[in-house]
Amino acid sequence: MNELAADSLQLDERHLRVLEAVLFASTEPLDVHSLLTYVGEGADIASLLVTLQQRYAGRGVNLVQRGDKWAFRTAEDLGFLLRREDEETRPLSRAALETLSIIAYHQPATRADIEAVRGVATGGGTIDLLMEAGWIRMRGRRRTPGRPVTYGTTDAFLDHFGLESLGDLPGLEELKGAGLLSNRLPPSMQIPLPFDGALRDDEDPLDPDDQDGEDESA
């Protein structure tokens, strides 16, 4: 191995150690842009992350991807050993589970979209609860009369449910079998492609005066 190659390998190892330390110390998943600030713009961050992920495969903790972010998480087969007690012990209501499932599979979804699938009115508190949990967010406004707010899932949703992307969501039949969705589903209800968060053609950006709470227009 020549001197140049040896120096390059040594630099990669240093970068790997830096990424390892930063990801271990972070309480939340980090995106590539955030990680680049620690290793420098010239680093091949994608290759480094894959290398680090391979090194931790089969260990007690694994490097996982959640959307466009990365984090260390307990290996799935050992998760039962380290379950933390949630501060909020009250489980999600059936309405909240149904609402979350509909938004995940049908985003961008408005409150009217959710009610059309469920067949019943959706209370503002249900959406507020999911937003407070950090699992859904206001995306934009639909280009229809009343300009209702559209909702989508977040990276925190992916992280909580152990998903790399929305493409890893279980099939609709599995959800219906688990009782999380009604059998009355519209023909347009499909499993989405991995979602990058960009507004779609039928959405406008949120208004400056939009609040973080539930939108009343439907």
Side-chain angles (χ1 to χ4, degrees):
M1 181 182 298
N2 60 43
E3 185 175 347
L4 183 60
D7 288 344
S8 177
L9 183 60
Q10 185 177 11
L11 182 59
D12 283 347
E13 286 298 325
R14 180 181 185 281
H15 286 161
L16 286 169
R17 292 185 67 224
V18 170
L19 290 176
E20 182 180 33
V22 171
L23 287 165
F24 260 122
S26 177
T27 58
E28 298 179 350
L30 298 174
D31 59 25
V32 169
H33 178 74
S34 299
L35 293 170
L36 273 175
T37 61
Y38 294 95
V39 297
E41 293 291 337
D44 186 353
I45 192 74
S47 177
L48 290 169
L49 286 168
V50 170
T51 298
L52 194 59
Q53 185 179 50
Q54 291 171 345
R55 289 188 179 183
Y56 276 87
R59 295 189 181 183
V61 292
N62 301 148
L63 181 61
V64 298
Q65 189 171 3
R66 298 292 182 249
D68 62 350
K69 298 181 179 180
W70 294 78
F72 279 111
R73 292 291 181 263
T74 303
E76 289 188 8
D77 61 323
L78 299 178
F80 71 96
L81 296 173
L82 299 174
R83 284 200 178 97
R84 294 176 299 179
E85 292 294 331
D86 293 331
E87 293 182 6
E88 178 58 68
T89 58
R90 180 168 55 90
L92 287 178
S93 66
R94 181 185 180 88
L97 286 172
E98 289 184 351
T99 299
L100 180 60
S101 298
I102 292 166
I103 291 174
Y105 281 87
H106 203 44
Q107 58 188 299
T110 65
R111 183 173 171 180
D113 294 333
I114 298 166
E115 292 176 347
V117 176
R118 295 189 63 228
V120 296
T122 299
T126 298
I127 290 180
D128 288 342
L129 177 65
L130 295 174
M131 290 186 67
E132 289 172 5
W135 293 345
I136 67 170
R137 67 182 179 88
M138 297 166 67
R139 289 170 36 89
R141 285 188 176 273
R142 181 76 52 81
R143 292 176 184 170
T144 56
R147 301 183 67 246
V149 165
T150 57
Y151 296 93
T153 53
T154 65
D155 285 341
F157 164 81
L158 296 177
D159 191 32
H160 182 84
F161 290 98
L163 305 172
E164 183 173 322
S165 71
L166 291 179
D168 296 325
L169 284 166
L172 294 178
E173 293 302 320
E174 294 177 64
L175 285 180
K176 287 191 289 184
L180 298 181
L181 285 181
S182 165
N183 288 322
R184 301 190 301 273
L185 298 176
S188 61
M189 189 102 169
Q190 299 176 351
I191 295 177
L193 295 173
F195 171 61
D196 63 5
L199 292 176
R200 298 185 181 179
D201 292 340
D202 62 346
E203 290 180 281
D204 287 322
L206 291 170
D207 296 331
D209 58 348
D210 281 320
Q211 302 297 315
D212 291 334
E214 158 70 351
D215 169 64
E216 293 302 325
S217 58

